[in-house]
Amino acid sequence: MPVTLTIALVVTAAAVFSPETLASTYFLAALLLHAAIAALCIAVPWARLPAGAFAVIPLLDCLAIAFTREAGGPAFNVLSMVLVFPVVWLSAQVRPYMPALAIAGTVLCTVVPPVVQGVPLAGGSMIRVLILPLVMSVIAVTAHVVATTIRRHRARLVENERDLARTLAESVRRQALLDAVLKAVGVGVWVVDTRGHTVLANRAMRTDPALDGVMDPAGRHGLMLADRLTPVPSGMAPLARAAAGEVFVDELYWAGPADRQRAYSVSSHGFPPAGGQAGGAVITFVDVTSLVSALAAKDNFVATVSHELRTPLTSILGYLELVLEEPGHEDIQGELLVVRRNAEHLLGLVNDLIAVASERMDLSLEETDLARLLALEVDAVLPKAAGHGLQLVLEVEQPLPARVDPERISQVVRNLLSNAIKYSPSGGLITAGAVRTDAGLVCSVSDTGVGMTAEEQEQAFTKFFRSARSRETAIPGAGLGLPVSKTIVEGHGGSISLASEPGVGTTATFILPVA
């Protein structure tokens, strides 16, 4: 198209300023060649031919331009500039041999016309034979490099657009999925930034009447602590803690009017800044009112039943003592002692149930040597440990004075030693020790038993919890030893903890205040 338009302008100029040129048969033959090439462009279905077949057109253009220039004489030498069109057309192609064809076309442009006319190549002609191909070679190489660079950038842009389209489609899909999930779940989800501003809140969070004031930007959250009476301080509210970057899990709060309070398990997990967006936290509110009520009902039931059982058991033990003290029962004394021992064990279990249900225990504090107390309990279980093929070692400082309830602390030590013996295979080692530290009086019982997983350790102090291993191997127990021990130790103002690894063993440690 550019070549055809240029030649049409040249013909128009020639008709105006040099009519005699149009009378030249040679010039008309050159114009006819141009017309034939234009017709060829239109008529041939190039898409059906091999990919490089179109190169015939620009090569023929080079020849047609050369004949037009020669036929027009010196005044038409400027037509050599029109060679730029076919040269650029060829050089801009992907195939690396196209620039070579473009250079070959310029060489043909300078050599073929003189040969056809039978004119020898003189000095001036030789200069044109050399200069024109050299100039066009530079143009061809430049056009090829520029076209290749443009194609590369275009391909990169197209790929980037495809990636962006895929990313956008995935983002839309994920957003739709997130919206559907947030609408479907019954858990209140509240996303806040580091300044405490709301980023997102799902329908469950916005429509729960009990949580109406929690999202109040003025800070009137209306939350109560676990006692259902004490308002949560502003600085301890879930929003303030989450905005400060604190992570917490399953903390109990109460919300709503006093006569319709609801219990919520509240958790917060932070997320870091990303994509130019500030970080923040996701706060979840799970309504656990039914669960809390069920647990309270269970504890009330256990406490009630335990109280009802304790009275007849106490009576049974009293009458057993009377029977054992009366003469004439020597022949069944062994059986009576078994009955008393089991009744005492059952009474102890009932007392444990009452203590666990009430989460408190009456203590009778007195000055006691913790080292002697620990030694007595270790001596008491030595036969049982030996019967299981276990070695029991005592490591204790002498003395360790403390003001505690000796019977209750002995119960804690018995529970820990009993667990160590039950869960240690034959040939194992159990170490009981006590020491005075800056933190207080530290007492520990370590074993080389089966150990516990991290999940089991989290549940170990839960009432009636028993590990899967203990259930599979039918190890006896009610799941009350550790909860009762925790109640006793915390009643003394101390703390108790576990450190365990499956297949390695467990260390149970409790710390009592010195005073």
Side-chain angles (χ1 to χ4, degrees), residues 178-372:
L178 177 61
D179 291 342
V181 170
L182 290 178
K183 289 179 181 178
V185 297
V187 175
V189 179
W190 185 19
V191 183
V192 298
D193 60 21
T194 53
R195 292 176 296 178
H197 296 160
T198 298
V199 177
L200 180 148
N202 69 339
R203 183 171 57 186
M205 188 72 191
R206 295 183 180 276
T207 58
D208 190 336
L211 298 177
D212 185 48
V214 173
M215 297 176 58
D216 187 354
R220 297 185 293 272
H221 49 74
L223 293 176
M224 299 290 176
L225 294 177
D227 61 5
R228 306 179 66 171
L229 298 174
T230 308
V232 177
S234 298
M236 296 300 295
L239 174 60
R241 297 171 63 187
E246 183 179 349
V247 176
F248 52 91
V249 179
D250 294 335
E251 296 202 0
L252 185 64
Y253 292 92
W254 289 83
D259 58 337
R260 298 189 304 276
Q261 278 188 331
R262 308 291 296 176
Y264 293 89
S265 174
V266 184
S267 303
S268 173
H269 299 276
F271 58 87
Q277 300 294 322
V282 179
I283 311 173
T284 57
F285 288 76
V286 182
D287 190 336
V288 292
T289 308
S290 300
L291 177 60
V292 171
S293 300
L295 290 174
K298 183 199 73 173
D299 289 342
N300 289 335
F301 173 77
V302 170
T304 301
V305 171
S306 300
H307 279 290
E308 293 297 327
L309 288 174
R310 183 161 59 176
T311 300
L313 278 173
T314 303
S315 178
I316 290 171
L317 284 170
Y319 280 106
L320 275 173
E321 292 297 331
L322 292 175
V323 171
L324 287 169
E325 290 174 359
E326 291 181 358
H329 301 290
E330 291 77 7
D331 55 335
I332 60 169
Q333 186 174 16
E335 288 81 357
L336 291 175
L337 290 175
V338 171
V339 172
R340 184 177 67 176
R341 184 171 63 251
N342 283 282
E344 288 174 345
H345 174 72
L346 185 57
L347 181 60
L349 183 60
V350 168
N351 289 332
D352 288 346
L353 285 171
I354 294 173
V356 168
S358 62
E359 295 186 351
R360 60 178 297 276
M361 190 167 291
D362 295 328
L363 302 175
S364 299
L365 303 181
E366 57 184 77
E367 294 297 330
T368 305
D369 184 0
L370 184 62
R372 181 175 178 276

Side-chain angles (χ1 to χ4, degrees), residues 370-371 373-375 378 392-397 400 413 416-417 430-436 441-447 507-511:
L370 184 62
L373 185 150
L374 183 61
V378 169
L392 183 55
V393 177
L394 175 64
E395 297 177 352
V396 65
E397 295 180 355
L400 290 174
V413 175
L416 299 184
L417 288 172
I430 298 174
T431 304
V435 65
R436 183 187 299 273
L441 297 176
V442 180
C443 183
S444 64
V445 176
S446 300
D447 63 60
T507 298
T509 304
F510 66 90
I511 303 175

Side-chain angles (χ1 to χ4, degrees), residues 24 49 361 512:
S24 170
L49 300 180
M361 190 167 291
L512 299 173

Side-chain angles (χ1 to χ4, degrees), residues 102-141:
I103 296 171
T106 59
V107 172
L108 292 175
C109 177
T110 57
V111 173
V112 172
V115 172
V116 171
Q117 291 178 341
V119 178
L121 294 173
S125 298
M126 287 303 297
I127 292 176
R128 187 171 62 186
V129 169
L130 294 175
I131 295 298
L132 187 60
L134 287 175
V135 173
M136 291 301 166
S137 297
V138 174
I139 294 175
V141 172

